[in-house]
Amino acid sequence: MSLLSRALPALRLYCIGLAVALHQLLRRLRPGGAPAPVFPTQNGNVAIVTGGAKGIGYHTVKHLARLGMHVIIAGNDESEGQEAVRKIKEETVNEKGGVSVFLFSLGNVLVPLDIGMCLLEFLHCDLASMKSIRQFVQQFRAKNCPLHVLVNNAGVMLVPERKTEDGFEEHFGLNYLGHFLLTNLLLETLKQSGTCTHNARVITVSSATHYVGRLHLNDLQSRCSYSPHGAYAQSKLALVLFTYRLQHLITSDGNHVTANVVDPGVVNTELYKNVCWATKVVKWMTAWLFFKTPEEGASTSIYAAVSPELEGVGGIYLYNEQRTKSTDVSYDEELQRRLWTESCKMTRISDVGSRDL
């Protein structure tokens, strides 16, 4: 493979990242703007957020908890997860005469809730391990509680070539296959929890890099020629294809579950720890101007999880809380079907696409 061919995935990735960063800057400089949304309380609803101990996931968890949800952080670091639980409780709960006061920074509105209505906990789930995912689902089911929102948020970016516990390329295995398996194992609970007036929701976090992603069905593990940039973009494209296929299968059987995919934008998180030193320097110098904060990056996930405007609406791509067109190839139903079938083989689950949900 030529040097140019090796460099193309990185060039595409940085070009789309620059375009998004510039768009964010222009949006920030625009006068006025729409007021921050205020969402209804979610008392009694249950959510799972993968990778909820830091970054975008952390702020997603915090805002869902402030809305009164019982939120479960699914992560692979016990101490980090428990610290996130402690910190969120400390930041959001101010006991005054048995009442908890939550400050919604999204809408800058104070909403009083009973302290018992808001539950937050951590459960171990390593998305790079099929065994760990199955154990997590067993632990969750043992609680005998419903599931109204699943946020597939966790991910890695630009990691060096390495494999998951099950032998999958890490971007594809963790970012995509881990969430594919988790969603399918929790699907029955989601179906039982959704109603005609309050659908259960699956929210999957992709990114603008999916626009430059190439899905190699004959080499999903990037064995022929590994590029961390290409592998990352492929995993994000796979998540979009998965979401659309999932919604198609759900709709065909009339279940009260919706599946949507969100794009958080270019966000200042720890995901950039694997970029080259030059990129780190540029990021350090410009992130304050061009990048979103993790809290800003979480806003679209939160919107997709609880906004009344999306009740019963599925199969859409959201950016800045707006419906947006994803890349053309993501709407290829045959490609969606083939990826789904191959994913079922890899994760050793039955292909629900070949039968009714």
Side-chain angles (χ1 to χ4, degrees):
M1 178 176 282
S2 69
L3 185 62
L4 177 61
S5 298
R6 290 179 181 274
L8 274 177
L11 183 60
R12 293 192 191 104
L13 200 74
Y14 288 124
C15 283
I16 193 69
L18 178 60
V20 174
L22 287 172
H23 178 267
Q24 290 177 178
L25 175 62
L26 292 173
R27 189 168 184 261
R28 183 171 291 163
L29 295 175
R30 214 173 288 149
V38 179
F39 302 119
T41 56
Q42 304 290 310
N43 298 334
N45 287 351
V46 180
I48 292 174
V49 181
T50 67
K54 56 187 177 181
I56 294 171
Y58 175 87
H59 289 280
T60 301
V61 170
K62 185 163 70 171
H63 283 288
L64 294 182
R66 284 173 169 174
L67 288 168
M69 270 193 169
H70 174 182
V71 188
I72 297 170
I73 296 174
N76 62 356
D77 189 316
E78 180 78 25
S79 61
E80 188 176 71
Q82 295 298 350
E83 174 61 17
V85 169
R86 184 200 64 77
K87 189 176 178 182
I88 290 173
K89 287 181 177 179
E90 187 178 89
E91 288 181 351
T92 59
V93 179
N94 178 21
E95 293 188 38
K96 292 184 179 180
V99 175
S100 302
V101 179
F102 301 87
L103 177 60
F104 287 62
S105 61
L106 277 177
N108 198 28
V109 176
L110 286 174
V111 180
L113 297 171
D114 288 340
I115 198 167
M117 291 182 178
C118 180
L119 298 175
L120 183 62
E121 60 182 307
F122 171 85
L123 287 180
H124 184 270
C125 181
D126 183 356
L127 288 166
S129 165
M130 301 290 134
K131 179 181 179 181
S132 178
I133 294 168
R134 292 179 183 278
Q135 289 175 339
F136 169 84
V137 173
Q138 287 178 346
Q139 282 185 286
F140 174 75
R141 285 177 177 166
K143 294 178 177 294
N144 292 316
C145 66
L147 178 60
H148 303 94
V149 174
L150 170 63
V151 183
N152 293 321
N153 166 83
V156 294
M157 183 174 78
L158 307 185
V159 297
E161 186 172 11
R162 60 194 186 201
K163 296 181 179 180
T164 67
E165 179 181 294
D166 304 282
F168 301 120
E169 186 278 316
E170 189 166 348
H171 291 98
F172 192 78
L174 192 156
N175 293 358
Y176 169 66
L177 278 180
H179 285 121
F180 175 88
L181 177 61
L182 179 66
T183 303
N184 273 280
L185 293 179
L186 292 171
L187 192 56
E188 186 61 33
T189 305
L190 286 159
K191 287 161 48 183
Q192 293 171 359
S193 305
T195 67
C196 60
T197 57
H198 192 88
N199 281 237
R201 304 185 186 191
V202 178
I203 295 93
T204 298
V205 180
S206 180
S207 84
T209 58
H210 91 275
Y211 287 105
V212 295
R214 304 287 189 274
L215 193 76
H216 303 288
L217 276 172
N218 296 323
D219 186 25
L220 291 171
Q221 306 305 318
S222 303
R223 293 190 179 98
C224 292
S225 58
Y226 182 77
S227 159
H229 303 83
Y232 176 70
Q234 176 182 245
S235 71
K236 291 301 181 178
L237 174 58
L239 288 169
V240 181
L241 290 160
F242 152 71
T243 299
Y244 293 165
R245 179 60 178 171
L246 176 62
Q247 185 60 54
H248 171 78
L249 295 173
I250 291 168
T251 301
S252 66
D253 200 46
N255 289 297
H256 301 303
V257 182
T258 59
N260 292 310
V261 61
V262 302
D263 177 353
V266 178
V267 186
N268 190 8
T269 69
E270 293 181 10
L271 275 181
Y272 294 88
K273 63 184 178 183
N274 292 305
V275 300
C276 66
W277 68 267
T279 304
K280 287 181 180 178
V281 170
V282 172
K283 174 181 174 291
W284 177 76
M285 295 174 62
T286 64
W288 66 274
L289 182 63
F290 291 95
F291 286 37
K292 289 183 179 181
T293 65
E295 185 169 15
E296 290 171 333
S299 63
T300 303
S301 294
I302 298 162
Y303 174 81
V306 298
S307 174
E309 296 175 7
L310 292 183
E311 180 56 50
V313 178
I316 60 175
Y317 186 90
L318 292 161
Y319 174 60
N320 288 333
E321 297 89 55
Q322 299 292 324
R323 301 186 195 193
T324 306
K325 186 177 182 296
S326 55
T327 187
D328 289 341
V329 73
S330 66
Y331 298 102
D332 184 333
E333 293 185 2
E334 177 60 18
L335 185 61
Q336 295 168 13
R337 185 193 63 78
R338 292 176 64 192
L339 174 63
W340 185 282
T341 298
E342 190 62 28
S343 302
C344 288
K345 293 177 182 176
M346 290 178 170
T347 55
R348 299 180 182 179
I349 62 173
S350 60
D351 187 351
V352 295
S354 64
R355 60 179 173 79
D356 289 338
L357 278 172

